[in-house]
Amino acid sequence: RLPGFGVSFMTKERYHPVPSSLTRPPHPGKIIFGPDPLHPACSLQPLLNMLRGARINVDYQPDPLPAIWMKFLFIASFGLVSARHNQPIGVINEDPDLHDSARRLVLEITAIAQGKGVALPGNSTELILQKAASFPYHTPTSLQLDVHSDKPCTELELFAGAVMDYGHRLGLSVV
């Protein structure tokens, strides 16, 4: 295990049938990371220098946990709802019941993050809902695709299991 927390805001690259042909999306991803509280003396400067030297978009943050949890808020809430109902993000945004389910999950996960001492923005729920509204209508989530392609291993336990486990440990009611 490497010291340091990280969350990657990477986008998938598109592969073409021609060997060695690869195009990058117009908005490259970003890697956000910061110090590991279990290894506070470990310097991540060499890693930061290497990544920047390779022209990888990185953002070193003294406290990366808010960014990690904001990412988790989005992918867990919309991923779980999209997987459960096999609907893309646009349908979740416009269907009142599905949107309410995603919003309730965002609120539950926000309570978990706060219970763990993570300083999220005061408007985190609105930011997550705005992010979802910015996606093209027919965008599926990776969890939805995995679950409905009958893959033997999916991220379902990672997302739902973490929400339930953290919630129970903190004495919070989770769905």
Side-chain angles (χ1 to χ4, degrees):
R1 159 166 137 57
L2 290 174
F5 287 107
V7 60
S8 118
F9 293 93
M10 305 297 273
T11 53
K12 293 183 179 178
E13 298 176 342
R14 290 185 216 130
Y15 292 90
H16 298 278
V18 178
S20 303
S21 177
L22 173 70
T23 60
R24 294 193 181 272
H27 305 290
K30 177 189 287 189
I31 298 174
I32 297 174
F33 71 101
D36 184 339
L38 299 177
H39 302 92
C42 180
S43 172
L44 297 175
Q45 194 60 49
L47 176 60
L48 185 61
N49 293 342
M50 180 190 68
L51 292 171
R52 286 185 175 153
R55 295 189 307 244
I56 295 173
N57 190 6
V58 305
D59 183 10
Y60 179 87
Q61 296 182 4
D63 182 7
L65 288 178
I68 292 168
W69 277 88
M70 287 296 288
K71 176 76 173 183
F72 185 68
L73 277 172
F74 177 73
I75 60 175
S77 59
F78 279 83
L80 289 168
V81 173
S82 68
R84 167 67 176 91
H85 299 281
N86 197 20
Q87 294 296 330
I89 292 176
V91 172
I92 296 168
N93 286 329
E94 77 176 13
D95 181 283
D97 292 333
L98 297 180
H99 192 262
D100 188 56
S101 293
R103 186 177 179 284
R104 282 194 324 261
L105 276 166
V106 170
L107 292 171
E108 287 180 7
I109 298 167
T110 297
I112 290 168
Q114 290 169 339
K116 294 180 72 56
V118 178
L120 294 176
N123 63 342
S124 59
T125 299
E126 292 78 18
L127 292 172
I128 296 304
L129 297 177
Q130 287 171 8
K131 180 179 182 73
S134 75
F135 277 76
Y137 186 87
H138 295 287
T139 304
T141 66
S142 62
L143 180 59
Q144 174 191 357
L145 294 174
D146 286 353
V147 166
H148 293 281
S149 67
D150 296 323
K151 285 188 175 182
C153 295
T154 70
E155 299 171 321
L156 188 59
E157 178 61 29
L158 173 68
F159 298 138
V163 169
M164 293 181 73
D165 184 50
Y166 285 145
H168 291 302
R169 284 187 198 181
L170 293 167
L172 299 172
S173 175
V174 292
V175 182

